[in-house]
Amino acid sequence: MREAAASAIRREDYAAPAFWIRTVELTFDLDPAKTIVASKLAIERNPQAAPGQALVLHGEDLTLLRCLADGESVSFRHEEGLLVIDHPPEKDAFTLEIRNTCAPEKNTQLSGLYTSTGGLFTQCEAEGFRRITYFLDRPDVMAVFSVTLRADKAKYPVLLSNGNLVEQGSLDNGRHFAKWHDPFPKPSYLFALVAADLVCREQKIVSRSGKEHLLQVYVRRGDLDKTEHAMASLIASVAWDEARFGLPLDLDRFMIVAVSDFNMGAMENKGLNVFNTKYVLASPATATDGDFAGIESVVGHEYFHNWTGNRITCRDWFQLSLKEGLTVYRDQEFSMDMAGSPSARAVKRIDDVRGLRAVQFPEDAGPMAHPVRPDRYQEINNFYTATVYEKGAEVVRMMATLVGREGFRRGMDLYFERHDGQAVTCDDFAQAIADANPGSALAVNLAQFKHWYAQAGTPRLTARGSHDVTTRRFTLTLTQSALPSPGQPDKQPCVMPVVMGLISTDGRALPLRLAGEEAAHGTERTLVLTQPEESFVFEDIDDAPVPSLLRGFSAPVVLDSGLYDGALITLLRHDHDAFNRWEAGQRLALNRLLAALPGTGELPALDDAYIDAMRAVLRDPALDPAFKELVLTPPGEGYVAEQCAEVDPQRIHRLREEMRQQLAARLHADWLWAWEAHQVREGYRPDAVQSGKRALANLALTMLVLDAVAKGDPVWPGRAYQRVKDAGQMTDRHAALKALIDGHSPLAQGALAHFHGVAAGDDLVLDKWFAAQAQAAEPLDGGGVVLGRVKALLKHPDFSMKNPNRLRSLVGSFCRENPAAFHRADAAGYVFWADRVLELDAINPQIAARIARAMDRWRVLAEPYRSAAREALARVAGSAKLSDDVREIVSKALED
Ligand code: TRP
Ligand code: ZN
């Protein structure tokens, strides 16, 4: 932990390094207590840099044993986190030899070299390599790595690093060695090693060019039967990148290693991806449909980084979205292509947008708001955000919309032609896409389009239509605006692709002829809004149409469509765009919740028009079950909160629960039908068809349990309990457990006990057991019971603060995913938060900072929450010993 308060790193201060490192030879004598690292660096002066500069290497929590330049001892000094060689040899090139030690066993931060369940693993992104050895630990320094690993053979039978295995053999004293060589120059953040007792699933594949590759998935003994889906996902990823983007696998061997202590989801180290077990291990008995989908997308994501991130990397960390936004876009497209049918694609898109709105929109409206390409940071780990990842992906998606599918492919081709092997910027990417598509709306407006990279905050798009019966014209006026963000008082208008159509009130898609066009062509257009306000005139429109705007969520904005219920119901029934049908349904629900929020009473009885519309969707034989489940689920509490100027989490929870209760009661017969009609009787497959059926059946079960508990009827809770006991797979078992907990059934306790029993010590199943309790819906009468249970669970023998998955499943779920339990009038939720953040900061600052962000939106809270939240934040900020990670989060939250 660095004691001194960190100062901000600024994008405008970027300077190329004074030295390059061309090759690295690393030798590790691996030992959990003390690992010895010998490093030989081929260093070259950067002729473009100012002469006479010191050689300044990064190093953190290391013990230096030796430092030689060209074989001679050289004088050096230590500064905070740095090793400074003031007078390196006055030559263009020299070698530097370093010997140092580090202590993997003591590394609870899980950055650098650390231990997990008896093995040794590394995590180097973003700045973990400096915790292994002294280096120019910045992404624009790319070197060819040769790595020798030496370790006890019995404890660490598997020794892995990046690239190709060149030699292995035995040594004295029961030790053995392996030598690896990675031919591709890479930045240090892509280095990895693994030394552990693992087994692997292997598969040989042949690429389009006829080249053979070996794919391997390494896991702990006993987990091999849970690797089939990860391997299938990897094979599909390799095929997809070749087919869709012409990007082949460039290595003979590609390895995935699963580790149970991991800060994030997974890491794209060259040829040696290291994964959180959560994104590798799955069997029908232990993983839900959602888990299977998560594995497919993360395996894809890390694999796709091989080109977008590794072959072309980031010049500096401000460019993080260059690799992350683009790679998220690619994994989203991969999952959509894998889903198959147009409606399954739409379901994936809806899911992604839901995530964006639940996490990125609040981030963009709060104290941590930052541009997709940030301008400053104190701790880079805090900038692996929904903005850089998910909004970044939306920015790439808008480019793809503006240049079309083929145009985007041409742009990607040009990007690789220009920049393969380089460390580049977001500007370089946008330029390549634009240059490959001269005359496109992107190329024409490129400078303005780049505001998406530079400006924080979610823009608002307001649409108003007016129809003139005599001229048969429909005029659509679009207005864009943006609120100020921290450090950005004034905003420029953005380039917004607005994919749209017009629907007649009886549901026909109207042919579109814009003023000035000879004839109508098509029923869908992409309007490109560049001005603060623009009007679009459509000809030959007999009756006032319903505009369907922002189809497929074509820009990451908040849309005020100005549409009333009648128009929304028309869209819900007839829109050709599945995303907008869903959106219309969400808007209908939201309008009803928002209308009731200012009062203090119950949610008024839902109107027949709304209930009938929901029933019509549920019963529509032409719609997919997965889509129905999304429509029938009201907007989340967090999303509702974001629509309010002042947030009362208790009131939002109450109204949303009452809405669910009413949907449960009024659609009772329909839920019965939905449950009966969507049982899956074939063998388990995690595909879109089966998982859609299960999603809808399980929503039906949830509603039936909710209604039954309210009426004191034991039948449906009994059935759910039976499911927890008998279900052949985790999706149904888990859903039944949640239905009992969130439905406040007296059977929930027994179901939890049973679930814990069948978990049989499986870590990922236990995570679900903890999370289900931390996320439990507070009962409306005499709420406030969840925190007590969460506190008790901190003392459960299966709980540990040190394992990030477990920590997230209990503390993270409670603080970040259960607003009504967290925001208590007695402030006990905030006290709990502050205690955990401080406790965790001493163990793992990266994860502590993530938990700390639960307070991001404290300023919009109503009293008494607001004052109590400020007090808790002030207590954390006032702590004498805080990491840079947590300090940055809490001080931003408290800034005026
Ligand atoms: N690059 C990784 C990804 O998105 C993210 C990641 C994994 C990471 N582990 C990390 C980022 C640790 C920061 C710290 O695929
Ligand atoms: Zn990534």
Side-chain angles (χ1 to χ4, degrees), residues 123 125-126 262 264 266-268 301-302 305 323-324 381 384 389 846:
Q123 170 55 41
E125 189 177 6
F262 199 73
M264 306 266 284
M267 180 62 212
E268 70 265 23
H301 181 97
E302 306 312 329
H305 266 316
K323 73 178 179 80
E324 296 304 347
N381 286 325
Y384 286 76
Y389 277 65
Q846 230 181 95

Side-chain angles (χ1 to χ4, degrees), residues 493-504:
C494 286
V495 178
M496 282 182 203
V498 181
V499 179
M500 55 81 65
L502 298 177
I503 313 274
S504 66

Side-chain angles (χ1 to χ4, degrees), residues 599-735:
T600 52
E602 290 182 355
L603 183 73
L606 292 168
D607 49 294
D608 289 344
Y610 175 69
I611 292 290
D612 290 346
M614 288 297 122
R615 181 181 293 114
V617 168
L618 193 50
R619 294 280 192 167
D620 188 339
L623 292 174
D624 262 9
F627 177 76
K628 296 179 182 184
E629 191 268 341
L630 291 169
V631 174
L632 271 291
T633 301
E637 288 172 25
Y639 185 63
V640 177
E642 284 305 313
Q643 321 299 313
C644 306
E646 194 179 63
V647 176
D648 180 346
Q650 298 301 330
R651 178 113 188 104
I652 292 173
H653 176 62
R654 166 166 292 273
L655 293 176
R656 185 175 185 273
E657 286 299 291
E658 285 168 357
M659 174 171 263
R660 282 174 8 101
Q661 199 81 57
Q662 288 192 34
L663 286 167
R666 303 269 300 275
L667 298 175
H668 188 262
D670 308 284
W671 294 123
L672 281 175
W673 164 81
W675 165 260
E676 293 295 340
H678 296 91
Q679 295 302 318
V680 176
R681 299 208 162 79
E682 318 87 86
Y684 179 86
R685 275 179 285 117
D687 62 16
V689 173
Q690 274 200 7
S691 56
K693 286 186 186 171
R694 279 188 287 270
L696 186 57
N698 286 326
L699 177 63
L701 178 65
T702 303
M703 293 311 225
L704 291 164
V705 169
L706 195 63
D707 192 50
V709 172
K711 293 178 176 142
D713 167 359
V715 173
W716 282 99
R719 286 204 182 141
Y721 186 73
Q722 207 55 40
R723 269 260 156 132
V724 174
K725 289 171 98 172
D726 302 344
Q729 25 74 16
M730 180 53 76
T731 305
D732 287 345
R733 170 170 286 137
H734 183 249

Side-chain angles (χ1 to χ4, degrees), residues 803-815:
N803 175 262
N805 286 358
R806 190 57 48 82
L807 194 277
R808 279 187 281 258
S809 71
L810 185 63
V811 180
S813 299
F814 174 75
C815 295

Side-chain angles (χ1 to χ4, degrees), residues 756-786:
H756 188 271
V758 295
D762 182 306
D763 281 330
L764 299 173
V765 179
L766 285 171
D767 288 339
K768 294 184 204 307
W769 184 80
F770 279 99
Q773 297 176 78
Q775 293 159 354
E778 287 285 8
L780 297 184
D781 46 347
V785 299
V786 178

